[in-house]
Amino acid sequence: MPLTRKSRVVVGISGGVDSSVAAAILKEQGHEVIGVNLKLWRPDLPVCSEKSSRLSDSLDDARRVCRQLGIEFHVVDRLGQFEREVIATFAAEYRAGRTPNPCVLCNNRVKFETLATVARALGADHIATGHYARVERHGAGGRVLLRRGRDPLQDQSYFLFQLNQEHLGMALFPLGDFAKERTREFARARQLPAADKKQSQEICFVPGDDYCRFLIESGLAKPHEGDIVDRHGRVLGRHTGIEFFTVGQRRGLRIAAPRPLYVLELDAVRNLVIVGQADELKRDALRVERCNWIAFVEPPSEFEALAQIRHRHPGQRATAIALPGGTVSVRFSTPQRAVTPGQACVFYDGDLLLGGGWIT
């Protein structure tokens, strides 16, 4: 939703095409735009040398974009916070037998909090990013709502479910109505440096998307042997650490079996990887904890919603029952494959994001 008056806006600039176009749109709308790049990277880890080079290039691209747009550019060091809040949690979750989603943690605990802090210090009214999502405001005192991006292939609202009302109230998402190709066309027409830059699908701090290598070479996890068992406790093989497996995984088990085997569960207490056949992966219910609600202060005691259990999951109709302590019990209308502890379950009503929590 465009602003009706000219404002000072702090924009998170990564050096990619999305954040660059977000800044350019706001500038063309007549706002006073300030670009902020967050330093989240420690280049001294050997595993990170290639990644560090690319991030250095991205910083240069961010600086060039701001220079071309004629806007202020600041680099804000959040390395320590990122390591504590995101990387350490990422490793701890894997060690506990869960599969984390670091992008959700980073958006909530680092990016939006930092942009809001910088905005307050600089007297800015709003913050903006290149996320494909939409905010909806309902007047003074009304809740700020979050909706999916208009293009379902680019929608990133799932990663924003933990944002609070203060941050949503400040937030602008200029690309909310855009498709990716429209974003690139906008950038090409203005000869922005990142116009044809390849979009990364990796976790930003994990080179080559090889999280196992990252955990070992960064010293955040050490190989430790244990048993691979079936549902009945029968030992089928050995593993080198539960943190190197995730629910639904098939490859890397190194077990000879007449039918493919998949990881069904990770038991951190007993150091077990529990495997079974594909049909054993299906679950008709789950529980989520530490819920954050956007569409309401407290959820109804029972409600129907589309439950999305990972970013690329299409969502499934479900009944949610609110329990004490920010916990919700969820039952699907149709059993779902590979319900994974540690991932986020986000609830939608159409394109309206109701809220979400973490799968236990």
Side-chain angles (χ1 to χ4, degrees):
M1 184 182 299
L3 295 176
T4 55
R5 63 182 179 84
K6 306 309 178 190
S7 301
R8 177 178 289 181
V9 184
V10 168
V11 183
I13 298 282
S14 67
V17 65
D18 296 331
S19 60
S20 300
V21 170
I25 290 172
L26 293 168
K27 174 74 172 179
E28 291 184 10
Q29 290 175 349
H31 302 294
E32 181 185 350
V33 179
I34 301 169
V36 171
N37 181 274
L38 303 187
K39 180 184 176 183
L40 306 175
W41 196 245
R42 186 156 61 96
D44 57 323
L45 292 175
V47 69
C48 302
S49 57
E50 180 184 347
K51 179 75 76 173
S52 296
S53 176
R54 291 205 298 272
L55 288 172
S56 178
D57 291 342
S58 293
L59 175 59
D60 291 340
D61 287 341
R63 187 176 285 109
R64 281 196 293 271
V65 166
C66 290
R67 187 183 304 120
Q68 182 173 329
L69 295 177
I71 64 177
E72 286 184 37
F73 178 67
H74 302 268
V75 177
V76 179
D77 189 337
R78 285 295 183 267
L79 172 58
Q81 183 184 9
F82 186 72
E83 290 187 331
R84 291 190 305 272
E85 300 279 0
V86 180
I87 296 180
T89 302
F90 176 83
E93 286 287 278
Y94 271 115
R95 291 194 298 268
R98 295 185 288 267
T99 302
N101 190 316
C103 296
V104 174
L105 294 176
C106 184
N107 281 326
N108 179 49
R109 299 183 185 182
V110 181
K111 290 184 180 178
F112 280 79
E113 179 60 40
T114 298
L115 292 176
T117 298
V118 172
R120 288 189 288 266
L122 297 178
D125 302 303
H126 293 281
I127 58 179
T129 68
H131 285 95
Y132 291 84
R134 294 174 293 151
V135 288
E136 185 177 295
R137 296 171 173 83
H138 288 273
R143 291 190 72 78
V144 183
L145 303 180
L146 180 64
R147 294 188 180 274
R148 290 189 186 274
R150 192 77 67 182
D151 180 357
L153 296 178
Q154 292 299 321
D155 170 51
Q156 294 173 311
S157 61
Y158 175 90
F159 296 110
L160 305 175
F161 83 89
Q162 281 202 311
L163 296 185
N164 60 35
Q165 285 291 297
E166 178 188 6
H167 293 160
L168 283 171
M170 299 176 73
L172 302 174
F173 300 119
L175 305 186
D177 290 314
F178 278 43
K180 188 72 175 192
E181 187 52 36
R182 183 183 173 192
T183 300
R184 292 201 182 278
E185 289 172 357
F186 187 102
R188 291 185 194 114
R190 290 151 182 82
Q191 298 182 326
L192 294 178
D196 293 298
K197 193 172 185 178
K198 184 179 178 180
Q199 182 175 354
S200 174
Q201 301 296 324
E202 301 174 358
I203 298 171
C204 72
F205 57 88
V206 177
D209 222 20
D210 186 349
Y211 83 89
C212 299
R213 178 184 166 216
F214 173 79
L215 289 176
I216 292 171
E217 295 192 15
S218 61
L220 293 169
K222 296 179 180 179
H224 55 97
E225 290 195 351
D227 289 330
I228 301 176
V229 302
D230 64 14
R231 281 286 193 201
H232 305 291
R234 183 177 56 181
V235 177
L236 304 178
R238 298 284 285 172
H239 67 78
T240 57
I242 63 166
E243 49 267 74
F244 309 127
F245 296 85
T246 188
V247 171
Q249 180 176 332
R250 174 183 172 185
R251 295 182 178 179
L253 295 177
R254 300 189 301 278
I255 298 173
R259 296 176 63 184
L261 295 175
Y262 299 82
V263 175
L264 304 179
E265 186 180 341
L266 299 168
D267 187 329
V269 174
R270 295 186 294 165
N271 192 30
L272 297 177
V273 174
I274 302 167
V275 299
Q277 297 177 3
D279 58 354
E280 295 180 85
L281 276 171
K282 291 186 177 180
R283 299 282 183 271
D284 61 5
L286 59 81
R287 183 168 291 198
V288 293
E289 65 179 8
R290 292 173 288 144
C291 290
N292 180 64
W293 302 106
I294 290 177
F296 25 67
V297 177
E298 294 292 340
S301 58
E302 182 174 323
F303 61 95
E304 301 291 320
L306 191 77
Q308 185 173 333
I309 59 174
R310 51 187 167 269
H311 177 223
R312 293 302 181 189
H313 184 249
Q316 177 61 48
R317 298 305 306 177
T319 300
I321 298 175
L323 303 173
T327 300
V328 171
S329 175
V330 181
R331 182 164 293 277
F332 296 112
S333 60
T334 302
Q336 297 299 292
R337 186 181 185 278
V339 173
T340 307
Q343 289 287 289
C345 177
V346 180
F347 303 104
Y348 290 89
D349 180 4
D351 67 359
L352 176 66
L353 193 156
L354 304 177
W358 300 99
I359 299 171
T360 62

